[in-house]
Amino acid sequence: MEDWLQRFVDDGTIGDSQLEEARNMAANLGITVEDAIVRLGYMTAADIGRAQAEQFNYEYVELDGLQIPNSIIELVTESMARENVVIATDVQGDTVVVAMHNPNNIEVLDKLRFVLNREIKVVMAPYESIQGAINRHYGQTETESVDTMISEFTETAIEFTQTEAEAAVKGDEDESAPIIRLCNLIITEAMQMRASDIHVEPFEDRVRIRYRIDGALIERDSPPKRLLGAMLSRFKIMANMDISEKRRPQDGRIKTRMGAKEFDLRVSILPTNHGQAVVMRILDRDNIKIGIRNLGFSDDNYRIFQNIIRRPNGIFLVTGPTGSGKTTTLYSALGELNRPDRKIITAEDPVEYYLPGINQVEVKHGIGLDFAKIIKSMLRQAPNVILVGEIRDTETGEMAVQASLTGHLVFSTLHTNDAPGSITRLIDMGVQPFLVASSLMAVMAQRLVRVVCEKCKEPYQPTPDEVDYFELTDEDLEEGDWVRGKGCAACQHTGYKGRRAVFELMTMNSTLREMAFNSEPAQNIRRQARLFGMRTLVDDATDKAKAGLTSLSEVYKLSKGGH
């Protein structure tokens, strides 16, 4: 079926090498070539969708912004729409018009004909557009949402009977139990809003629920305090935790799915003075299938990064604060290197994403299984590539260095503000300067900046203060595609939707190695690295603002140390 894609090469939309790159990415990640072309940014999903519709003689429908009447939406149940990624868009006489992304799926068509007992006319739309339309419309027609459920609890002052409390505690899968519905809705709503984590925090008279979306916390309605016990019991049951333990912190994991996607939730419970607080980190497995090309590297950094990860030995460090995308970057690199002829072992605390074909070991401090011990043991397993979750102490640092010097490629992370600071951090930790100098290949600092929402972005002229602060030239102002987001329903009125990484990649050379060997201060190393052409985080972020991807206010926040 993918032969039809050759037409894009023939008409000059994409190049031969780009199609080849998309085919390789599709084979590696188990996705379609069309999806790979979109992920690589060579074409939009809408362009592919229109061309596909034309190729297979189907009508193409633009779902973004389309408001479908409830009477039509109700023809297909929410569970059927979500499970099969289809949505009814119109009724023409006795025929129901249904949008699909794969009109050749005969099984789904037969199911729809049987359930609706009507003729079906298929129109085509991209997968993401259909998902978005399902979330928009069923959110309206579905009577239940987190807000409506919470107000129902508040207004009616429902008290839990002994049986209902026990049902929540035992994890009785009776989905109609109010507390089970509420907990499920909280998780589903957070996923639909692209949240990275859910915070359930008890206070004196209420329970605060917040979702972190694109790095910023957004508050939802607050359930009454009396629901806390039942909600905690439900979340603990889902995460296989001890529900009777109320005084100690606990960690667990919830596996769930929404539509065709699987999610892992890492659950942490911490006792506070008003009760136990819950944080659920949502781990979307698709995040790590992003592919190196799509991380957001400039052409120069992409070429350097590809060379680094293909070296036979040495240490490559990724640095940045918690939540700056370090894990995604390293897993993308491992995904690229994950071939049958290479053995890859990781030591992580905890294992966040499960990667097929890679041996992953979890740190267990309770039994003395720490990073240093795991590295020592993993070297006996004859790996080619090692990932150490984080270098936290001298012993782990020295073990990682020794592993790289004995012919292994070592990836790891460190918490420093910039790339040159990693050299001094390792030396301050107690790793010998000559070992750092001889084993370190490169250090990459990274942060995440918010991407301006496509739906509400508007042209923007940098202010005189911004021009001075970022030292923008007349040429920059003229050539740049400067934008900002007005704020709309699609981005929760923030003006931003999604995030992209910005990088500072410092590769070691003989001068920098000598400076590391002499334990020179980080600012000297930084100055020298910039002379050798290193682009700083702010430089990279400014380039992305100039390209119309992010806003100058995000770059300003980054330059002031925010992330």
Side-chain angles (χ1 to χ4, degrees), residues 28-29 286-295 297 305-306 309-310 325-339 355 358 387 411:
N28 290 342
L29 303 182
D286 283 357
N287 283 354
I288 54 157
K289 291 180 180 172
I290 192 168
I292 288 177
R293 195 69 185 104
N294 234 26
L295 285 171
F297 285 123
F305 187 79
Q306 284 284 10
I309 66 170
R310 279 168 172 72
K326 301 189 295 292
T327 307
T328 303
T329 300
L330 287 177
Y331 277 8
S332 299
L334 290 186
E336 186 100 343
L337 297 174
N338 190 8
R339 298 280 181 276
L355 299 166
I358 289 175
L387 180 132
F411 294 125

Side-chain angles (χ1 to χ4, degrees), residues 308-309 311-318 330 334 337 345 375 378-379 383-389 391 396-413 439-442:
I308 290 164
I309 66 170
R311 300 233 184 123
N313 64 305
I315 292 185
F316 176 56
L317 288 178
V318 179
L330 287 177
L334 290 186
L337 297 174
I345 308 183
I375 299 170
M378 67 165 63
L379 290 177
N384 304 100
V385 182
I386 290 170
L387 180 132
V388 181
I391 295 177
T396 310
E398 285 183 340
M399 290 297 305
V401 166
Q402 293 299 343
S404 75
L405 293 173
T406 52
H408 303 87
L409 180 59
V410 179
F411 294 125
S412 191
T413 69
S439 63
L440 199 60
M441 292 187 298

Side-chain angles (χ1 to χ4, degrees), residues 97-142:
V97 181
V98 176
M100 296 176 68
H101 67 100
N102 177 12
N104 298 324
N105 194 329
I106 307 299
E107 195 183 320
V108 172
L109 279 169
D110 287 346
K111 204 188 297 182
L112 283 165
R113 281 195 192 97
F114 177 75
V115 170
L116 297 175
N117 197 20
R118 293 199 193 181
E119 268 309 301
I120 303 290
K121 178 188 172 186
V122 175
V123 292
M124 282 185 74
Y127 181 91
E128 297 295 333
S129 298
I130 299 173
Q131 283 277 29
I134 289 170
N135 290 343
R136 263 195 339 271
H137 289 88
Y138 287 96
Q140 291 168 1
T141 57
E142 192 68 30

Side-chain angles (χ1 to χ4, degrees), residues 426-466:
L426 283 173
I427 294 168
D428 289 346
M429 256 183 205
V431 181
Q432 295 291 337
F434 73 89
L435 288 175
V436 175
S438 53
S439 63
L440 199 60
M441 292 187 298
V443 185
M444 187 165 80
Q446 73 175 74
R447 295 286 189 288
L448 295 174
V449 292
R450 292 185 293 173
V451 174
V452 173
C453 172
E454 279 294 324
K455 290 274 190 328
C456 63
K457 75 175 177 185
E458 59 179 12
Y460 171 71
Q461 198 56 36
T463 65
D465 286 349
E466 287 171 333

